[in-house]
Amino acid sequence: MESDSDSDGSHISATPPRKSTPSPPPPPPVVVSKKSRIRIKPSKSKPKPDPSGSSKIQSKSDPIQQATLLSLPTDLPFQIRRPSDAPSISYSIETLPAGYFSSSHSASFSKIRRPLLNLEPSEVEQPVFTSVASDSRAEGADLRKRGKSQLPNLIGSSAPMPSVKPRTSGAGEGNFVKLNMNGKRKKFLNKRGKFGGKRYKSWRFKSQREKEEEQEEAVGELKQRGGCKRREIDGDAVEEAATAARNVPSEENLVKLLRLVHGYDCFRDGQVEAIKMVLAGKSSVVVLPTGAGKSLCYQLPAVILPGVTLVVSPLVALMIDQLRQLPHVIMGGLLSSTQTPEEASESLKQLRQGGIKVLFVSPERFLNEEFLSTISSLPAISLVVIDEAHCISEWSHNFRPSFMRLRASLLHKTLNVRSVLAMTATATTTTLDAIMSALDIPSTNLIQKAQLRDNFHLSVSLVRNRMKDLLNLIKSPPFVEVQSMIIYCKFQYETDQINRYLNDNNILAKSYHSGISAKERSYVQELFNSNKIRVVVATVAFGMGLDKRDVGAVIHYSLPESLEEYVQEIGRAGRDGRLSYCHLFYDDETYFKLRSLTHSEGVDEYAVNKFLREVFPADKNSCGKICSLIKESASRRFDMKEEVMLTLLTRLELGDVQYLQLHPQINVTGTLNFHKSPPPLLAQKVSAIAVILKRSETKHGQYIFDIPTVANDMGVTAVELINQLYDLKLMGEITYEMKDLAYCYRIIEVPTDLLSLSADITRWLSEVENCKVRKMDAMFNAAYFALNLCDTMQGCSGANHTPCLQRKILDYFSGVDNADFCKKIGQSSPFLRADIKVFLQSNSQARFTPRAVARVMHGIASPAYPSTAWSKTHFWGRYTHIDFQVVMEAAKEELKNFVGKDTL
Ligand SMILES: Nc1ncnc2c1ncn2[C@@H]1O[C@H](COP(=O)(O)OP(=O)(O)OP(=O)(O)O)[C@@H](O)[C@H]1O
């Protein structure tokens, strides 16, 4: 499934699944009891090499099949049908090898919740707009004249302009000062947190080239050390200062350590409070603006605290960046889906041996038994840091189901973690409440500063001719003087189009989105970081965690989906403290389209009910059973995006009642070829083969079987079965492939009342859906207000709307999602019902829910109604300007009529 838009970063990936195409080799045999390994008799002949090379475990990489009418859901509410009660596949797995799930993980990791943005280029307007260049120029001059700051960090209603240095006046460090520590003695932190060794390295401001070299070195080092990185550092002085700060965590002692470790002279707003809280063993939430230095709030404590600091991060790219940015004194490591099993094992080994002080992990790791047992057996985890903590909350702009797992109960009780530090730059009050309640953090432990830096110059304009407007903007002051800028687009094809257009107009640019290879993406980032290109034209895939200090401008080619996204993206600019320019283009059509897409993950009660009926097999003795749901086919069957299914399963695990326990995802369909002994003969010697022969279908001489079913029959885990097969493969007896990535879970309790559980879950999902719509509306309202209603506000003029946008943003973050309903969106249309009627008549062979009809009318693809098949209809996307709920209601009425007539 490839959508044309990128997510907030979750499916991005600078580091997408390491292998999206076939086949990491089967996992090396791991921690299984001896008796589960094969004892096969003699067969002394040497194993044959696998001639076909097909012995590797394969992950299915076929694109989703184009749905045909036949693949449509079969028991829709307007069909009189009996519910399908085919039992789910069930099987048994327990622990799985480290790193074995990497590719499966990465698959889930790289496709996090995101609306389907399957719009074709032709569907996108080329709207038009008014030039803002002259206004911007005037404002830029005005800013420079004002000079003095009347604005600390918070922005009031009559907010004056910030006293930030304009970028064009030369280079420098702005207000962020680093110490020159040339010639200081370095040592490195050893496994007990002591400083030792005699390695020296001078430390000073690094040139860009030096930084690049350091990064290359870091990557090389990472590769060699399976994800661990050793950095050279200062020695005795750091150790002394760390001990002093441990004994007396006064600001004075902390600043001393800061100087030695980071080379900074003083703390920034909020940092020292956060650090003191951590050192006192108190869990806290830290809300600081983008680029404010949140990482330092765990880096410095990591030097002081005796145990390991675990940093949970939503993106592999982010982890790698953060690992690189660790101060030299700290031994860092990571566990990620991009590592080989050997690298992951090496990281765990290092961790067990005390060779890692700060470990970066993804939230999905918390499903992995080996990881959990390693973590809980460590002497101490001093701190768990949850970066981008808003991902915990379904009310945030970027909810990640796997973040739900990070609950106080798991962290404190199971893993014995001392304290938790949750960090974010973009959380509304509702989101903050959700974070604090999940992590059991009292409101007294909230450290919150304004969520917007004061060095942004914010402007807005209505689009008239988008490409030309963009070019005019970039060619006019102040943008013409900006050396490094990012242009954010919503759709991948837009980035490519603009990239070409800019290069044709002699502006050095490159595009960046999740549709290009990881290698190409890091190449683009490198070119940008080293100022070899001026512009990156990117989707949301670019930026989270990007810490290029001199990005001078961010342009939004289309409206972001929320103010959170807007703030995150403009937050890539001005990280050196200088004034930076952020321009937003907007228009109604794009807004309508994006608003429609906020409904792409919505589901109805009937679908939830159908899902639950399959998750919990009718069998009364299903408690304790291991079951699986093949992601791709289930997604089509329920017409639910994979991320939504994961959200539901996670809620069934972590809701008020624990109905199931999720396991890591595995490929569950095996295909076996025999190469040496005849199958019946081998079956006499090996019980796994006997069961496989009994439980498999044969096709063209291959044996196709369900791994959990065979494992269940044998009374072993899936891993043990896989290990047995692996042994046979080494003996040259067989080769095998595995496909069909599935969600796997063990049933803990079967719900007694599925209907009311479905109703509860649906209510929750629909609140989440509404919340997304409100976020989209709040973003649009802010832009609309700036352009149409704010004339009287002090400081706004022409395209410049810094004061009023600042106010809108801060109000939004401090409010409780109380965005006004957007009046632009239509509440009725005289032709709607008639069009739906015609649509239903002309597609009478297909089955629809009201939501499915509304999706077609709004041009939203879904797993069972893909755009490849449905965008050809005349009605596709025709009603984006009418509220989705209104269209759904109309569809419901028409479907009633239609079905009624049908049954007469
Ligand atoms: N006290 C300080 N003095 C000077 N520079 C600092 C200080 N603290 C952090 N920095 C620098 O500020 C930059 C931004 O820090 P960091 O990446 O931690 O920001 P962040 O708050 O995590 O931002 P984002 O949310 O956008 O990722 C880094 O280059 C960091 O070294």
Side-chain angles (χ1 to χ4, degrees):
M1 179 190 69
E2 194 53 70
S3 76
D4 192 41
S5 158
D6 291 352
S7 85
D8 33 283
S10 20
H11 70 266
I12 298 179
S13 231
T15 39
R18 188 158 32 84
K19 291 180 181 72
S20 54
T21 45
S23 41
V30 279
V31 269
V32 288
S33 63
K34 276 191 181 167
K35 71 178 159 75
S36 71
R37 300 300 294 273
I38 282 191
R39 296 272 170 273
I40 188 165
K41 280 206 190 147
S43 180
K44 284 189 180 157
S45 57
K46 275 191 186 170
K48 261 193 229 160
D50 172 10
S52 60
S54 60
S55 58
K56 296 172 178 178
I57 295 174
Q58 294 199 340
S59 66
K60 186 163 185 168
S61 60
D62 298 346
I64 289 181
Q65 281 178 339
Q66 284 199 356
T68 59
L69 295 177
L70 290 175
S71 72
L72 292 172
T74 50
D75 61 343
L76 299 169
F78 296 95
Q79 295 284 313
I80 304 164
R81 263 167 189 261
R82 295 182 62 186
S84 149
D85 40 32
S88 307
I89 307 158
S90 64
Y91 58 90
S92 153
I93 60 167
E94 271 165 338
T95 52
L96 293 163
Y100 174 53
F101 300 107
S102 322
S103 51
S104 351
H105 262 154
S106 61
S108 63
F109 193 66
S110 64
K111 288 180 192 163
I112 314 302
R113 48 188 309 283
R114 220 7 38 189
L116 287 173
L117 301 179
N118 290 342
L119 300 176
E120 306 301 331
S122 60
E123 290 178 87
V124 176
E125 331 290 315
Q126 294 294 323
V128 231
F129 110 119
T130 41
S131 170
V132 294
S134 55
D135 296 322
S136 297
R137 183 168 48 234
E139 185 51 39
D142 188 34
L143 281 171
R144 267 161 280 193
K145 261 192 261 155
R146 289 185 210 198
K148 255 190 255 160
S149 170
Q150 301 154 38
L151 191 65
N153 215 342
L154 270 163
I155 297 121
S157 56
S158 56
M161 290 297 108
S163 75
V164 280
K165 270 198 202 171
R167 178 166 311 278
T168 48
S169 63
E173 278 285 290
N175 48 0
F176 306 158
V177 185
K178 271 185 171 181
L179 276 184
N180 183 332
M181 294 182 54
N182 236 342
K184 287 264 178 179
R185 207 152 70 90
K186 312 288 173 193
K187 288 184 182 177
F188 58 88
L189 192 66
N190 70 19
K191 49 176 139 176
R192 299 276 160 252
K194 303 273 184 204
F195 297 89
K198 291 251 183 269
R199 299 166 73 185
Y200 301 91
K201 191 177 180 186
S202 66
W203 200 103
R204 61 192 163 75
F205 274 180
K206 295 179 190 74
S207 70
Q208 193 60 42
R209 184 60 218 144
E210 283 171 308
K211 280 185 187 164
E212 278 172 40
E213 280 168 4
E214 193 181 88
Q215 289 187 359
E216 278 161 23
E217 188 190 308
V219 173
E221 238 178 312
L222 278 176
K223 281 233 167 301
Q224 274 177 16
R225 295 166 46 80
C228 304
K229 187 178 56 161
R230 186 184 295 279
R231 288 181 166 228
E232 295 172 89
I233 51 132
D234 198 346
D236 296 339
V238 177
E239 187 173 357
E240 218 172 273
T243 311
R246 194 178 304 130
N247 295 337
V248 184
S250 63
E251 185 155 351
E252 194 192 338
N253 283 344
L254 291 171
V255 169
K256 261 189 211 156
L257 187 64
L258 174 74
R259 284 201 181 106
L260 293 167
V261 173
H262 288 87
Y264 298 136
D265 237 355
C266 56
F267 286 106
R268 289 196 185 147
D269 210 10
Q271 286 180 330
V272 86
E273 273 171 273
I275 291 169
K276 283 184 173 177
M277 197 80 89
V278 169
L279 294 179
K282 294 181 185 167
S283 294
S284 53
V285 180
V286 171
V287 187
L288 298 178
T290 51
K294 289 183 282 299
S295 320
L296 195 137
C297 302
Y298 69 80
Q299 289 172 352
L300 208 63
V303 180
I304 301 168
L305 293 169
V308 171
T309 293
L310 205 63
V311 183
V312 187
S313 202
L315 292 176
V316 182
L318 198 55
M319 283 187 222
I320 294 173
D321 280 348
Q322 287 171 331
L323 181 59
R324 285 173 183 158
Q325 283 157 19
L326 274 187
H328 291 191
V329 299
I330 302 172
M331 295 283 290
L334 66 82
L335 276 173
S336 90
S337 54
T338 55
Q339 288 172 311
T340 61
E342 293 74 30
E343 285 167 345
S345 293
E346 176 61 25
S347 287
L348 282 175
K349 190 172 135 207
Q350 292 273 343
L351 187 67
R352 278 191 285 267
Q353 293 174 349
I356 291 176
K357 275 296 275 181
V358 175
L359 179 73
F360 296 91
V361 292
S362 68
E364 286 78 7
R365 274 291 142 180
F366 288 80
L367 277 174
N368 183 303
E369 298 277 345
E370 193 192 2
F371 170 72
L372 287 176
S373 81
T374 303
I375 289 293
S376 45
S377 66
L378 289 179
I381 299 182
S382 300
L383 178 66
V384 168
V385 180
I386 302 176
D387 199 12
E388 311 295 349
H390 53 264
C391 296
I392 286 182
S393 166
E394 65 271 47
W395 316 119
S396 78
H397 66 298
N398 190 12
F399 168 56
R400 288 272 304 273
S402 41
F403 266 79
M404 278 170 99
R405 197 164 303 285
L406 307 170
R407 299 272 163 143
S409 51
L410 172 82
L411 299 177
H412 293 299
K413 290 191 196 123
T414 317
L415 300 181
N416 208 14
V417 169
R418 190 165 168 247
S419 67
V420 178
L421 172 64
M423 309 191 306
T424 176
T426 45
T428 60
T429 312
T430 318
T431 302
L432 276 179
D433 287 346
I435 297 172
M436 290 194 285
S437 123
L439 299 172
D440 212 0
I441 297 175
S443 55
T444 45
N445 295 5
L446 169 66
I447 298 159
Q448 185 173 23
K449 305 293 165 192
Q451 292 182 46
L452 197 61
R453 270 182 278 130
D454 58 5
N455 62 335
F456 298 122
H457 176 272
L458 306 175
S459 53
V460 192
S461 64
L462 189 66
V463 171
R464 289 196 203 289
N465 182 333
R466 204 182 287 261
M467 291 270 212
K468 276 198 186 144
D469 294 346
L470 177 68
L471 194 63
N472 284 340
L473 185 76
I474 298 176
K475 288 196 162 177
S476 320
F479 291 86
V480 70
E481 293 166 51
V482 171
Q483 275 313 303
S484 254
M485 70 172 83
I486 304 173
I487 299 171
Y488 280 108
C489 304
K490 213 68 239 170
F491 306 104
Q492 292 179 358
Y493 73 86
E494 276 179 340
T495 66
D496 295 330
Q497 263 177 5
I498 296 168
N499 174 36
R500 274 194 300 276
Y501 182 68
L502 293 183
N503 280 295
D504 288 350
N505 284 282
N506 300 320
I507 295 171
L508 270 183
K510 284 268 179 204
S511 60
Y512 185 111
H513 53 74
S514 63
I516 57 178
S517 71
K519 201 170 160 200
E520 176 72 8
R521 283 199 300 271
S522 51
Y523 176 61
V524 172
Q525 187 161 350
E526 217 176 284
L527 290 178
F528 189 57
N529 284 341
S530 53
N531 291 327
K532 291 189 182 110
I533 51 171
R534 185 174 163 218
V535 181
V536 172
V537 191
T539 58
V540 67
F542 187 66
M544 202 193 272
L546 178 80
D547 190 33
K548 176 168 163 48
R549 296 169 68 79
D550 62 351
V551 174
V554 166
I555 298 171
H556 278 97
Y557 186 74
S558 47
L559 207 62
E561 285 170 45
S562 63
L563 280 165
E564 285 99 320
E565 191 178 309
Y566 178 62
V567 167
Q568 270 289 349
E569 288 172 350
I570 62 173
R572 300 308 115 201
R575 293 168 80 92
D576 54 5
R578 292 170 183 281
L579 181 65
S580 31
Y581 300 92
C582 306
H583 187 83
L584 170 66
F585 288 109
Y586 96 100
D587 65 293
D588 292 353
E589 288 310 311
T590 314
Y591 161 65
F592 293 148
K593 205 165 281 174
L594 295 174
R595 195 180 195 271
S596 292
L597 292 169
T598 59
H599 294 284
S600 64
E601 286 173 1
V603 281
D604 299 319
E605 191 168 336
Y606 126 85
V608 174
N609 189 262
K610 186 177 166 188
F611 178 82
L612 292 182
R613 276 191 273 122
E614 191 158 323
V615 167
F616 298 104
D619 173 11
K620 285 211 171 73
N621 301 322
S622 56
C623 277
K625 257 193 175 174
I626 304 240
C627 307
S628 68
L629 265 185
I630 296 176
K631 292 168 65 170
E632 205 179 296
S633 53
S635 172
R636 276 201 305 276
R637 235 174 16 260
F638 305 120
D639 195 18
M640 246 183 230
K641 289 173 84 176
E642 290 177 3
E643 306 79 57
V644 178
M645 294 193 292
L646 180 61
T647 303
L648 292 181
L649 291 170
T650 312
R651 190 175 161 100
L652 291 170
E653 180 184 12
L654 302 169
D656 297 338
V657 180
Q658 183 180 3
Y659 293 108
L660 51 83
Q661 183 194 8
L662 260 180
H663 288 224
Q665 298 165 27
I666 58 166
N667 288 311
V668 289
T669 307
T671 305
L672 197 70
N673 293 296
F674 290 92
H675 293 290
K676 244 182 183 174
S677 318
L681 203 65
L682 197 59
Q684 285 172 12
K685 297 183 201 164
V686 184
S687 64
I689 298 299
V691 180
I692 288 174
L693 291 188
K694 209 167 89 196
R695 290 297 213 152
S696 59
E697 269 175 40
T698 43
K699 229 184 207 174
H700 311 301
Q702 294 183 312
Y703 292 77
I704 300 162
F705 62 100
D706 178 53
I707 287 172
T709 308
V710 173
N712 276 339
D713 276 11
M714 292 171 64
V716 298
T717 65
V719 178
E720 286 166 342
L721 169 62
I722 290 163
N723 277 317
Q724 293 197 11
L725 296 178
Y726 183 78
D727 285 348
L728 287 172
K729 188 200 143 216
L730 288 184
M731 292 169 188
E733 288 284 359
I734 59 164
T735 52
Y736 58 87
E737 288 175 6
M738 281 155 64
K739 61 174 187 176
D740 291 339
L741 194 59
Y743 295 118
C744 299
Y745 54 93
R746 183 194 292 276
I747 294 179
I748 306 286
E749 187 179 327
V750 178
T752 45
D753 184 355
L754 273 188
L755 280 179
S756 68
L757 184 61
S758 314
D760 276 359
I761 292 181
T762 313
R763 238 186 330 271
W764 174 69
L765 287 176
S766 106
E767 279 166 30
V768 173
E769 188 180 356
N770 291 339
C771 174
K772 274 197 213 157
V773 176
R774 285 202 302 274
K775 283 187 190 302
M776 183 74 242
D777 285 353
M779 182 68 240
F780 178 82
N781 286 345
Y784 183 84
F785 177 89
L787 216 57
N788 299 294
L789 306 167
C790 89
D791 288 348
T792 55
M793 282 193 67
Q794 196 184 351
C796 293
S797 65
N800 165 42
H801 292 282
T802 310
C804 81
L805 279 175
Q806 282 175 337
R807 167 144 285 279
K808 281 272 169 203
I809 290 166
L810 294 174
D811 283 352
Y812 172 78
F813 281 116
S814 59
V816 256
D817 295 343
N818 52 357
D820 295 336
F821 184 77
C822 180
K823 295 181 187 73
K824 277 268 170 182
I825 205 80
Q827 290 304 305
S828 65
S829 160
F831 310 109
L832 179 60
R833 290 276 298 262
D835 278 352
I836 291 176
K837 192 172 174 180
V838 175
F839 171 74
L840 290 176
Q841 279 165 352
S842 51
N843 291 283
S844 56
Q845 77 286 21
R847 301 181 177 91
F848 296 101
T849 58
R851 183 175 290 273
V853 174
R855 277 185 179 149
V856 170
M857 298 289 152
H858 268 251
I860 309 169
S862 71
Y865 304 86
S867 64
T868 40
W870 291 92
S871 61
K872 294 178 190 97
T873 165
H874 180 58
F875 299 100
W876 182 256
R878 193 180 252 210
Y879 283 94
T880 54
H881 59 291
I882 303 292
D883 190 36
F884 188 82
Q885 297 298 339
V886 172
V887 181
M888 237 172 47
E889 277 309 309
K892 200 171 176 177
E893 291 310 310
E894 279 309 315
L895 271 165
K896 272 186 204 159
N897 293 341
F898 194 69
V899 173
K901 218 186 273 169
D902 231 8
T903 51
L904 281 177

